[in-house]
Coordinates of all heavy atoms in Angstrom, one line a residue:
M1 N 27.6 56.3 -14.0 CA 26.6 55.3 -13.9 C 27.2 54.1 -13.1 O 28.4 53.9 -13.1 CB 26.2 54.8 -15.3 CG 25.1 53.8 -15.3 SD 24.4 53.6 -16.9 CE 23.1 52.5 -16.4
L2 N 26.3 53.3 -12.5 CA 26.7 52.2 -11.8 C 26.8 51.0 -12.7 O 26.0 50.8 -13.6 CB 25.7 51.9 -10.7 CG 25.7 52.9 -9.5 CD1 24.6 52.4 -8.5 CD2 27.0 53.1 -8.9
Y3 N 27.7 50.1 -12.4 CA 27.9 48.8 -13.1 C 28.1 47.7 -12.2 O 28.7 47.8 -11.1 CB 29.1 48.9 -14.1 CG 28.9 49.9 -15.1 CD1 29.2 51.2 -14.9 CD2 28.2 49.6 -16.3 CE1 28.9 52.2 -15.9 CE2 28.0 50.6 -17.3 CZ 28.3 51.9 -17.0 OH 28.0 52.8 -18.0
A4 N 27.5 46.5 -12.5 CA 27.7 45.3 -11.7 C 28.7 44.4 -12.4 O 28.6 44.2 -13.6 CB 26.3 44.6 -11.6
I5 N 29.7 44.1 -11.7 CA 30.8 43.2 -12.2 C 30.6 41.9 -11.5 O 30.8 41.8 -10.2 CB 32.1 43.8 -11.9 CG1 32.3 45.2 -12.6 CG2 33.2 42.8 -12.4 CD1 33.5 45.9 -12.2
M6 N 30.1 40.9 -12.2 CA 29.8 39.6 -11.6 C 30.8 38.5 -12.2 O 30.9 38.4 -13.4 CB 28.3 39.2 -12.0 CG 27.3 40.2 -11.5 SD 25.7 40.1 -12.3 CE 26.1 40.8 -14.0
S7 N 31.4 37.9 -11.3 CA 32.4 36.9 -11.7 C 32.1 35.5 -11.2 O 31.5 35.4 -10.2 CB 33.8 37.3 -11.2 OG 33.8 37.3 -9.8
E8 N 32.6 34.5 -11.9 CA 32.5 33.1 -11.5 C 33.9 32.5 -11.4 O 34.7 32.7 -12.4 CB 31.7 32.3 -12.5 CG 31.4 30.9 -12.2 CD 30.6 30.2 -13.2 OE1 29.7 30.9 -13.8 OE2 30.9 29.0 -13.5
D9 N 34.3 31.9 -10.3 CA 35.6 31.4 -10.1 C 35.8 30.0 -10.8 O 34.8 29.3 -11.0 CB 35.8 31.1 -8.6 CG 36.1 32.3 -7.8 OD1 35.8 33.4 -8.3 OD2 36.6 32.2 -6.7
V10 N 37.1 29.7 -11.1 CA 37.4 28.4 -11.5 C 37.3 27.5 -10.3 O 37.1 27.9 -9.2 CB 38.9 28.3 -12.1 CG1 39.0 29.2 -13.3 CG2 39.9 28.7 -11.0
A11 N 37.3 26.2 -10.5 CA 37.2 25.2 -9.4 C 38.4 25.3 -8.5 O 39.5 25.6 -9.0 CB 37.1 23.8 -9.9
N12 N 38.2 25.1 -7.2 CA 39.4 25.1 -6.2 C 40.2 26.4 -6.3 O 41.4 26.4 -6.3 CB 40.2 23.9 -6.5 CG 39.4 22.6 -6.4 OD1 38.7 22.4 -5.4 ND2 39.6 21.8 -7.4
S13 N 39.5 27.5 -6.3 CA 40.2 28.8 -6.5 C 40.8 29.4 -5.2 O 41.5 30.4 -5.2 CB 39.2 29.9 -7.0 OG 38.2 30.1 -6.1
L14 N 40.4 28.8 -4.0 CA 40.8 29.4 -2.8 C 42.3 29.7 -2.6 O 42.7 30.8 -2.2 CB 40.3 28.6 -1.6 CG 40.5 29.3 -0.2 CD1 39.8 30.6 -0.1 CD2 40.0 28.3 0.9
P15 N 43.2 28.8 -2.9 CA 44.7 29.1 -2.8 C 45.1 30.3 -3.6 O 45.9 31.1 -3.2 CB 45.3 27.8 -3.2 CG 44.3 26.7 -3.0 CD 43.0 27.4 -3.3
K16 N 44.6 30.3 -4.9 CA 44.9 31.5 -5.7 C 44.3 32.8 -5.1 O 45.0 33.8 -5.2 CB 44.4 31.2 -7.2 CG 45.1 30.1 -7.9 CD 44.5 29.9 -9.2 CE 45.2 28.9 -10.1 NZ 44.6 28.7 -11.4
R17 N 43.1 32.7 -4.7 CA 42.5 33.9 -4.1 C 43.3 34.4 -2.9 O 43.5 35.6 -2.8 CB 41.1 33.5 -3.5 CG 39.9 33.7 -4.6 CD 38.6 33.4 -3.9 NE 37.5 33.7 -4.7 CZ 36.9 34.9 -4.7 NH1 37.2 35.8 -3.9 NH2 35.9 35.1 -5.6
Q18 N 43.8 33.6 -2.1 CA 44.5 34.0 -0.9 C 45.8 34.7 -1.3 O 46.2 35.7 -0.7 CB 44.9 32.8 0.0 CG 43.6 32.2 0.7 CD 43.8 30.9 1.3 OE1 44.6 30.1 0.9 NE2 43.0 30.7 2.4
L19 N 46.5 34.3 -2.4 CA 47.7 34.9 -2.9 C 47.4 36.3 -3.5 O 48.2 37.2 -3.3 CB 48.4 34.0 -3.8 CG 49.1 32.8 -3.3 CD1 49.6 31.9 -4.4 CD2 50.1 33.2 -2.3
A20 N 46.3 36.4 -4.2 CA 46.1 37.6 -5.0 C 45.2 38.6 -4.2 O 45.0 39.7 -4.7 CB 45.4 37.2 -6.3
R21 N 44.7 38.2 -3.1 CA 43.7 39.0 -2.3 C 44.2 40.4 -2.0 O 43.5 41.4 -2.1 CB 43.3 38.3 -1.1 CG 42.1 38.9 -0.4 CD 41.5 38.0 0.7 NE 40.3 38.6 1.2 CZ 40.2 39.3 2.3 NH1 41.2 39.5 3.1 NH2 39.0 39.7 2.7
P22 N 45.4 40.6 -1.5 CA 45.9 41.9 -1.1 C 45.8 42.9 -2.3 O 45.4 44.1 -2.1 CB 47.3 41.7 -0.6 CG 47.3 40.3 -0.1 CD 46.5 39.6 -1.1
A23 N 46.3 42.5 -3.4 CA 46.2 43.4 -4.6 C 44.8 43.6 -5.1 O 44.5 44.8 -5.5 CB 47.0 42.8 -5.8
H24 N 43.9 42.6 -5.0 CA 42.6 42.8 -5.4 C 41.9 43.8 -4.4 O 41.2 44.7 -4.9 CB 41.9 41.4 -5.3 CG 40.4 41.4 -5.5 ND1 39.8 41.5 -6.7 CD2 39.4 41.2 -4.6 CE1 38.5 41.5 -6.5 NE2 38.2 41.3 -5.3
L25 N 42.1 43.6 -3.1 CA 41.5 44.5 -2.1 C 42.0 46.0 -2.3 O 41.3 46.9 -2.0 CB 41.7 44.0 -0.7 CG 41.0 42.7 -0.3 CD1 41.3 42.4 1.1 CD2 39.5 42.8 -0.6
A26 N 43.3 46.1 -2.6 CA 43.8 47.5 -2.8 C 43.1 48.2 -3.9 O 42.8 49.4 -3.8 CB 45.3 47.3 -3.1
R27 N 42.8 47.5 -5.0 CA 42.0 48.2 -6.1 C 40.6 48.6 -5.6 O 40.1 49.6 -6.0 CB 41.9 47.2 -7.3 CG 43.2 47.0 -8.0 CD 43.2 46.2 -9.2 NE 42.7 47.0 -10.3 CZ 41.6 46.7 -11.1 NH1 40.9 45.6 -10.9 NH2 41.3 47.5 -12.1
L28 N 40.0 47.7 -4.9 CA 38.6 48.0 -4.3 C 38.7 49.2 -3.4 O 37.9 50.0 -3.3 CB 38.0 46.8 -3.6 CG 37.7 45.6 -4.6 CD1 37.3 44.4 -3.8 CD2 36.5 46.1 -5.5
Q29 N 39.8 49.2 -2.5 CA 39.9 50.3 -1.6 C 40.1 51.6 -2.4 O 39.6 52.7 -1.9 CB 41.2 50.1 -0.7 CG 41.4 51.1 0.4 CD 40.2 51.1 1.4 OE1 40.0 50.0 2.0 NE2 39.6 52.2 1.6
A30 N 40.8 51.6 -3.5 CA 40.9 52.8 -4.3 C 39.6 53.3 -4.8 O 39.3 54.5 -4.8 CB 41.9 52.6 -5.4
L31 N 38.7 52.4 -5.2 CA 37.4 52.7 -5.7 C 36.6 53.3 -4.5 O 35.9 54.3 -4.6 CB 36.6 51.5 -6.2 CG 36.9 51.1 -7.6 CD1 36.0 49.9 -7.9 CD2 36.6 52.2 -8.6
Q32 N 36.8 52.7 -3.3 CA 36.0 53.2 -2.1 C 36.5 54.6 -1.7 O 35.7 55.5 -1.4 CB 36.2 52.2 -0.9 CG 35.4 52.7 0.3 CD 35.5 51.6 1.4 OE1 35.1 50.5 1.1 NE2 35.9 52.0 2.6
D33 N 37.8 54.8 -1.7 CA 38.4 56.1 -1.4 C 37.9 57.2 -2.4 O 37.8 58.3 -1.9 CB 39.9 56.0 -1.4 CG 40.5 55.1 -0.3 OD1 39.7 54.8 0.7 OD2 41.7 54.8 -0.4
A34 N 37.7 56.8 -3.6 CA 37.2 57.7 -4.6 C 35.7 58.0 -4.5 O 35.1 58.7 -5.3 CB 37.5 57.3 -6.0
G35 N 35.0 57.2 -3.5 CA 33.5 57.4 -3.4 C 32.7 56.7 -4.5 O 31.6 57.0 -4.7
R36 N 33.3 55.7 -5.2 CA 32.7 55.0 -6.4 C 32.3 53.6 -6.1 O 31.6 53.0 -6.9 CB 33.7 55.1 -7.5 CG 34.0 56.5 -8.0 CD 35.1 56.5 -9.0 NE 35.0 55.5 -10.0 CZ 36.1 55.0 -10.7 NH1 37.3 55.5 -10.5 NH2 35.9 54.1 -11.6
L37 N 32.6 53.0 -4.9 CA 32.3 51.6 -4.6 C 31.0 51.6 -3.8 O 30.8 52.3 -2.8 CB 33.4 51.0 -3.8 CG 33.2 49.5 -3.5 CD1 33.1 48.7 -4.8 CD2 34.3 49.0 -2.6
I38 N 30.0 50.9 -4.3 CA 28.7 50.7 -3.6 C 28.8 49.4 -2.8 O 28.4 49.5 -1.6 CB 27.6 50.6 -4.7 CG1 27.5 51.8 -5.6 CG2 26.2 50.3 -3.9 CD1 27.4 53.1 -4.9
L39 N 29.3 48.3 -3.3 CA 29.4 47.1 -2.5 C 30.3 46.2 -3.3 O 30.6 46.3 -4.5 CB 28.1 46.4 -2.3 CG 27.3 45.9 -3.4 CD1 27.6 44.5 -3.8 CD2 25.8 45.9 -3.0
A40 N 30.9 45.3 -2.5 CA 31.8 44.3 -3.1 C 32.0 43.1 -2.1 O 32.0 43.3 -0.9 CB 33.2 44.8 -3.4
G41 N 32.0 41.9 -2.7 CA 32.3 40.7 -1.9 C 32.2 39.5 -2.6 O 31.7 39.4 -3.8
P42 N 32.6 38.4 -2.0 CA 32.6 37.1 -2.7 C 31.3 36.3 -2.4 O 30.6 36.6 -1.4 CB 33.8 36.4 -2.0 CG 33.8 36.9 -0.6 CD 33.4 38.3 -0.8
H43 N 31.1 35.3 -3.2 CA 30.0 34.4 -3.0 C 30.6 33.1 -2.3 O 31.3 32.3 -3.0 CB 29.4 34.0 -4.3 CG 28.8 35.1 -5.1 ND1 27.6 35.8 -4.7 CD2 29.3 35.8 -6.2 CE1 27.4 36.7 -5.6 NE2 28.4 36.8 -6.5
P44 N 30.2 32.9 -1.0 CA 30.7 31.6 -0.4 C 30.1 30.4 -1.1 O 29.0 30.4 -1.6 CB 30.1 31.7 1.0 CG 29.9 33.2 1.2 CD 29.5 33.8 -0.1
A45 N 31.0 29.3 -1.2 CA 30.6 28.1 -1.8 C 29.5 27.3 -1.0 O 28.9 26.4 -1.6 CB 31.8 27.3 -2.1
I46 N 29.4 27.7 0.2 CA 28.3 27.0 1.0 C 27.6 28.1 1.8 O 28.0 29.3 1.8 CB 29.0 26.1 2.1 CG1 30.0 26.7 3.0 CG2 29.6 24.9 1.3 CD1 30.5 25.9 4.1
D47 N 26.5 27.7 2.4 CA 25.7 28.7 3.2 C 26.3 29.1 4.4 O 25.9 28.7 5.6 CB 24.3 28.1 3.4 CG 23.3 29.1 3.9 OD1 23.6 30.3 3.9 OD2 22.2 28.7 4.3
S48 N 27.4 29.9 4.4 CA 28.1 30.3 5.5 C 28.9 31.6 5.2 O 29.4 31.7 4.1 CB 29.1 29.2 5.9 OG 30.0 29.7 7.0
E49 N 29.0 32.5 6.2 CA 29.8 33.7 6.0 C 31.3 33.4 6.0 O 32.1 34.1 5.4 CB 29.5 34.7 7.1 CG 28.2 35.4 6.9 CD 28.0 36.6 7.8 OE1 29.0 37.3 8.1 OE2 26.9 36.9 8.1
N50 N 31.7 32.3 6.6 CA 33.1 31.9 6.6 C 33.2 30.4 6.1 O 33.1 29.5 6.9 CB 33.7 32.0 8.0 CG 35.1 31.6 8.1 OD1 35.8 31.4 7.0 ND2 35.7 31.5 9.2
P51 N 33.3 30.2 4.8 CA 33.3 28.9 4.2 C 34.5 28.1 4.4 O 34.7 26.9 4.0 CB 33.0 29.1 2.8 CG 33.6 30.4 2.5 CD 33.3 31.2 3.7
A52 N 35.5 28.7 5.1 CA 36.8 28.1 5.3 C 37.4 27.5 4.1 O 37.5 28.1 3.0 CB 36.7 27.1 6.5
E53 N 37.9 26.2 4.1 CA 38.6 25.6 3.0 C 37.7 25.3 1.8 O 38.1 25.1 0.7 CB 39.3 24.3 3.4 CG 38.4 23.2 3.8 CD 37.9 23.2 5.3 OE1 38.3 24.1 6.0 OE2 36.9 22.5 5.5
V54 N 36.3 25.4 2.0 CA 35.4 25.2 0.9 C 35.5 26.4 -0.1 O 35.4 26.2 -1.3 CB 34.0 25.1 1.3 CG1 33.0 24.9 0.2 CG2 33.9 23.9 2.3
G55 N 35.8 27.5 0.4 CA 36.1 28.7 -0.5 C 34.9 29.4 -1.1 O 33.8 29.4 -0.5
F56 N 35.1 29.9 -2.3 CA 34.1 30.8 -2.9 C 33.9 30.4 -4.3 O 34.7 29.7 -4.9 CB 34.6 32.3 -2.8 CG 34.9 32.8 -1.4 CD1 36.1 32.6 -0.8 CD2 33.9 33.2 -0.6 CE1 36.4 33.0 0.5 CE2 34.1 33.6 0.7 CZ 35.3 33.6 1.2
T57 N 32.7 30.9 -4.9 CA 32.4 30.5 -6.3 C 32.5 31.7 -7.2 O 32.3 31.5 -8.4 CB 31.0 29.9 -6.3 OG1 30.0 30.9 -5.8 CG2 30.9 28.6 -5.5
G58 N 32.7 32.9 -6.7 CA 32.7 34.1 -7.5 C 32.6 35.3 -6.6 O 32.7 35.3 -5.4
S59 N 32.4 36.4 -7.3 CA 32.4 37.8 -6.6 C 31.3 38.7 -7.3 O 31.0 38.4 -8.5 CB 33.7 38.4 -6.6 OG 34.7 37.7 -6.0
L60 N 30.9 39.7 -6.5 CA 30.1 40.7 -7.0 C 30.6 42.1 -6.6 O 31.0 42.3 -5.5 CB 28.7 40.6 -6.5 CG 27.7 41.8 -6.8 CD1 27.4 41.9 -8.3 CD2 26.4 41.6 -6.0
I61 N 30.8 43.0 -7.6 CA 31.2 44.3 -7.3 C 30.2 45.2 -8.0 O 29.8 45.0 -9.2 CB 32.6 44.6 -7.9 CG1 33.7 43.7 -7.3 CG2 33.0 46.1 -7.7 CD1 35.0 43.7 -8.0
V62 N 29.7 46.2 -7.3 CA 28.9 47.3 -7.8 C 29.6 48.6 -7.6 O 29.9 49.0 -6.4 CB 27.5 47.3 -7.3 CG1 26.6 48.5 -7.8 CG2 26.7 46.0 -7.5
A63 N 30.0 49.3 -8.7 CA 30.7 50.5 -8.6 C 30.3 51.5 -9.7 O 29.8 51.1 -10.7 CB 32.2 50.2 -8.6
E64 N 30.7 52.7 -9.5 CA 30.5 53.8 -10.5 C 31.7 53.9 -11.5 O 32.8 53.9 -11.0 CB 30.3 55.1 -9.8 CG 29.9 56.2 -10.8 CD 29.8 57.5 -10.0 OE1 29.6 57.5 -8.8 OE2 29.7 58.6 -10.7
F65 N 31.4 53.9 -12.7 CA 32.3 54.1 -13.8 C 31.7 55.1 -14.8 O 30.5 55.2 -14.9 CB 32.7 52.8 -14.5 CG 33.4 51.8 -13.6 CD1 32.7 50.9 -12.9 CD2 34.8 51.9 -13.5 CE1 33.4 50.0 -12.0 CE2 35.5 51.0 -12.7 CZ 34.8 50.1 -12.0
A66 N 32.6 55.7 -15.6 CA 32.2 56.7 -16.6 C 31.4 56.0 -17.7 O 30.5 56.7 -18.4 CB 33.4 57.5 -17.2
S67 N 31.7 54.7 -18.0 CA 31.0 54.0 -19.1 C 31.1 52.5 -18.9 O 31.9 52.1 -18.1 CB 31.7 54.4 -20.5 OG 33.0 53.9 -20.5
L68 N 30.3 51.8 -19.7 CA 30.5 50.3 -19.7 C 31.8 49.9 -20.1 O 32.4 49.0 -19.5 CB 29.4 49.7 -20.6 CG 29.4 48.2 -20.8 CD1 29.2 47.5 -19.4 CD2 28.3 47.8 -21.8
E69 N 32.4 50.6 -21.1 CA 33.8 50.2 -21.5 C 34.8 50.4 -20.4 O 35.7 49.6 -20.2 CB 34.2 51.1 -22.7 CG 35.5 50.8 -23.3 CD 35.9 51.6 -24.5 OE1 35.1 52.5 -24.9 OE2 37.0 51.4 -25.0
D70 N 34.7 51.5 -19.6 CA 35.6 51.7 -18.5 C 35.4 50.6 -17.5 O 36.4 50.2 -16.9 CB 35.3 53.1 -17.9 CG 35.9 54.2 -18.7 OD1 36.6 54.0 -19.7 OD2 35.5 55.4 -18.4
A71 N 34.2 50.3 -17.2 CA 34.0 49.3 -16.2 C 34.6 47.9 -16.6 O 35.2 47.2 -15.9 CB 32.4 49.1 -15.9
Q72 N 34.4 47.6 -17.9 CA 34.9 46.4 -18.4 C 36.4 46.4 -18.5 O 37.1 45.4 -18.1 CB 34.4 46.1 -19.9 CG 34.8 44.8 -20.5 CD 34.2 43.6 -19.8 OE1 33.0 43.5 -19.8 NE2 35.0 42.8 -19.2
N73 N 37.0 47.5 -18.8 CA 38.5 47.6 -18.8 C 39.0 47.4 -17.4 O 40.1 46.8 -17.2 CB 38.9 48.9 -19.4 CG 38.7 49.0 -20.9 OD1 38.7 48.0 -21.6 ND2 38.6 50.2 -21.4
W74 N 38.3 48.0 -16.4 CA 38.7 47.9 -15.0 C 38.7 46.4 -14.6 O 39.6 45.9 -14.0 CB 37.9 48.8 -14.1 CG 38.3 48.8 -12.7 CD1 39.2 49.7 -12.1 CD2 37.9 47.9 -11.6 NE1 39.3 49.4 -10.8 CE2 38.6 48.4 -10.5 CE3 37.1 46.9 -11.6 CZ2 38.4 47.7 -9.2 CZ3 37.0 46.2 -10.3 CH2 37.6 46.7 -9.2
A75 N 37.6 45.8 -14.9 CA 37.4 44.4 -14.6 C 38.5 43.5 -15.2 O 38.9 42.5 -14.6 CB 36.0 43.9 -14.9
N76 N 38.8 43.8 -16.4 CA 39.8 42.9 -17.2 C 41.2 42.9 -16.6 O 41.9 42.0 -16.8 CB 39.9 43.4 -18.6 CG 38.6 43.1 -19.4 OD1 37.9 42.2 -19.1 ND2 38.5 43.8 -20.6
V77 N 41.5 43.9 -15.8 CA 42.9 43.9 -15.2 C 42.9 43.7 -13.7 O 43.8 44.0 -13.0 CB 43.6 45.2 -15.5 CG1 43.9 45.3 -17.0 CG2 42.9 46.5 -15.1
D78 N 41.8 43.1 -13.2 CA 41.7 42.8 -11.8 C 42.8 41.7 -11.5 O 43.0 40.8 -12.3 CB 40.3 42.2 -11.5 CG 40.1 42.0 -10.0 OD1 40.7 41.1 -9.4 OD2 39.4 42.8 -9.4
P79 N 43.5 41.8 -10.3 CA 44.4 40.8 -10.0 C 43.9 39.4 -10.0 O 44.6 38.4 -10.2 CB 44.9 41.2 -8.6 CG 44.7 42.7 -8.6 CD 43.5 42.9 -9.4
Y80 N 42.6 39.2 -9.7 CA 42.0 37.9 -9.7 C 42.0 37.4 -11.2 O 42.0 36.2 -11.4 CB 40.6 37.9 -9.1 CG 40.6 37.9 -7.6 CD1 41.8 38.0 -6.8 CD2 39.4 37.7 -6.9 CE1 41.8 37.9 -5.5 CE2 39.4 37.7 -5.5 CZ 40.6 37.8 -4.8 OH 40.5 37.8 -3.4
M81 N 41.8 38.2 -12.1 CA 41.9 37.8 -13.5 C 43.3 37.4 -13.9 O 43.5 36.3 -14.5 CB 41.5 38.9 -14.5 CG 40.0 39.3 -14.4 SD 39.0 38.0 -15.2 CE 39.4 38.2 -16.9
D82 N 44.2 38.2 -13.5 CA 45.6 37.8 -13.8 C 46.1 36.5 -13.1 O 46.9 35.8 -13.7 CB 46.6 39.0 -13.3 CG 46.4 40.3 -14.1 OD1 45.9 40.2 -15.2 OD2 46.8 41.3 -13.5
A83 N 45.5 36.2 -12.0 CA 45.9 35.0 -11.2 C 45.1 33.8 -11.7 O 45.4 32.7 -11.2 CB 45.6 35.3 -9.7
G84 N 44.2 33.9 -12.7 CA 43.4 32.8 -13.1 C 42.4 32.3 -12.2 O 41.9 31.2 -12.3
I85 N 41.9 33.2 -11.4 CA 40.8 32.9 -10.4 C 39.4 32.9 -11.1 O 38.6 32.0 -10.9 CB 40.8 33.8 -9.2 CG1 42.2 33.6 -8.4 CG2 39.6 33.6 -8.3 CD1 42.5 34.7 -7.5
Y86 N 39.2 33.9 -11.9 CA 37.9 34.1 -12.6 C 37.9 33.3 -13.8 O 38.6 33.5 -14.7 CB 37.6 35.5 -12.8 CG 37.3 36.4 -11.6 CD1 37.6 37.7 -11.7 CD2 36.9 35.9 -10.4 CE1 37.4 38.6 -10.6 CE2 36.7 36.7 -9.3 CZ 36.9 38.0 -9.4 OH 36.6 38.8 -8.3
A87 N 36.9 32.4 -14.0 CA 36.6 31.7 -15.2 C 35.8 32.5 -16.2 O 35.9 32.4 -17.4 CB 35.9 30.4 -14.9
H88 N 34.9 33.4 -15.6 CA 34.0 34.2 -16.4 C 33.6 35.4 -15.7 O 33.3 35.4 -14.5 CB 32.8 33.3 -16.7 CG 31.8 33.9 -17.6 ND1 32.0 34.1 -18.9 CD2 30.6 34.4 -17.4 CE1 30.9 34.7 -19.5 NE2 30.0 34.9 -18.5
V89 N 33.6 36.5 -16.4 CA 33.2 37.8 -15.8 C 32.2 38.5 -16.7 O 32.3 38.6 -18.0 CB 34.4 38.7 -15.6 CG1 33.9 40.1 -15.1 CG2 35.4 38.1 -14.7
V90 N 31.1 39.0 -16.1 CA 30.0 39.7 -16.8 C 30.0 41.1 -16.2 O 29.9 41.2 -15.0 CB 28.7 39.0 -16.8 CG1 27.6 39.9 -17.4 CG2 28.8 37.7 -17.4
V91 N 29.9 42.1 -17.1 CA 29.8 43.5 -16.6 C 28.5 44.1 -17.2 O 28.4 44.0 -18.5 CB 31.0 44.4 -17.0 CG1 30.9 45.8 -16.5 CG2 32.3 43.8 -16.5
K92 N 27.6 44.6 -16.4 CA 26.4 45.1 -16.9 C 26.1 46.4 -16.2 O 26.4 46.6 -15.0 CB 25.2 44.1 -16.5 CG 25.2 42.9 -17.3 CD 24.0 42.0 -16.8 CE 23.9 40.8 -17.6 NZ 22.7 40.1 -17.4
P93 N 25.4 47.3 -16.9 CA 24.8 48.5 -16.2 C 23.9 48.1 -15.1 O 23.2 47.1 -15.2 CB 24.1 49.3 -17.3 CG 24.6 48.7 -18.6 CD 25.0 47.3 -18.4
F94 N 23.9 48.9 -14.0 CA 23.1 48.6 -12.8 C 22.4 49.8 -12.4 O 23.0 50.9 -12.3 CB 24.1 48.1 -11.7 CG 23.4 47.7 -10.5 CD1 22.7 46.5 -10.3 CD2 23.4 48.6 -9.4 CE1 22.1 46.1 -9.1 CE2 22.7 48.2 -8.2 CZ 22.1 47.0 -8.1
K95 N 21.1 49.7 -12.1 CA 20.3 50.8 -11.6 C 19.9 50.5 -10.2 O 19.2 49.6 -9.9 CB 19.1 51.0 -12.4 CG 18.2 52.2 -11.9 CD 17.0 52.4 -12.8 CE 16.2 53.5 -12.2 NZ 14.9 53.8 -12.9
Q96 N 20.5 51.3 -9.2 CA 20.2 51.1 -7.8 C 18.8 51.7 -7.5 O 18.6 52.9 -7.8 CB 21.3 51.7 -7.0 CG 21.0 51.5 -5.5 CD 22.1 52.1 -4.6 OE1 23.2 52.5 -5.1 NE2 22.0 52.0 -3.3
V97 N 17.9 50.9 -6.9 CA 16.6 51.4 -6.5 C 16.6 51.5 -5.0 O 16.1 52.5 -4.5 CB 15.5 50.5 -7.0 CG1 14.2 50.9 -6.5 CG2 15.5 50.4 -8.6
F98 N 17.1 50.5 -4.3 CA 17.2 50.5 -2.8 C 18.6 50.1 -2.4 O 19.2 49.3 -3.0 CB 16.1 49.5 -2.2 CG 14.7 50.0 -2.4 CD1 13.9 49.4 -3.3 CD2 14.2 50.9 -1.5 CE1 12.6 49.8 -3.5 CE2 12.9 51.3 -1.7 CZ 12.1 50.8 -2.7
P99 N 19.0 50.6 -1.3 CA 18.4 51.7 -0.5 C 18.5 53.0 -1.3 O 19.4 53.2 -2.1 CB 19.2 51.8 0.8 CG 20.5 51.2 0.4 CD 20.3 50.2 -0.6
S100 N 17.5 53.9 -1.1 CA 17.4 55.1 -1.9 C 18.1 56.2 -1.1 O 18.5 56.1 0.0 CB 16.0 55.5 -2.2 OG 15.2 55.5 -1.0

């Protein structure tokens, strides 16, 4: 089943994001290589694809996991969690309707 992992960053998270990004992306790449990643990306803090020093306010990941518990466990050990970037993370089942 698909799960949405929605996170909210702490204030001024950009320096921490930059340090932890390679490890974070490696985990996402592993999901993609396994054919389980639907989409992933950050929420820019401003209306821009490249918010520069303004940074990001959180992230969204939609991926396939065996259960809600598995998705939550995966989210709990994200490098961004370990680095103190995420203030809050919500994991919910997700039903993709489009694109079909």
Side-chain angles (χ1 to χ4, degrees):
M1 180 165 189
L2 296 180
Y3 295 89
I5 301 170
M6 302 162 286
S7 64
E8 183 179 323
D9 284 17
V10 298
N12 303 312
S13 64
L14 187 59
K16 291 180 181 180
R17 272 182 170 267
Q18 291 168 330
L19 290 174
R21 189 170 191 260
H24 174 75
L25 293 181
R27 292 183 80 233
L28 291 170
Q29 186 65 53
L31 281 179
Q32 181 172 308
D33 291 348
R36 296 172 41 206
L37 184 63
I38 304 303
L39 64 89
H43 300 286
I46 59 173
D47 190 12
S48 172
E49 286 191 31
N50 183 10
E53 68 278 350
V54 178
F56 302 92
T57 61
S59 299
L60 171 65
I61 298 167
V62 177
E64 183 180 347
F65 292 92
S67 67
L68 178 59
E69 182 179 5
D70 286 349
Q72 185 67 60
N73 289 339
W74 187 90
N76 287 343
V77 295
D78 190 287
Y80 281 6
M81 289 290 288
D82 294 339
I85 294 162
Y86 291 155
H88 183 71
V89 176
V90 174
V91 181
K92 292 183 175 185
F94 180 82
K95 180 178 177 183
Q96 182 176 356
V97 176
F98 290 101
S100 53

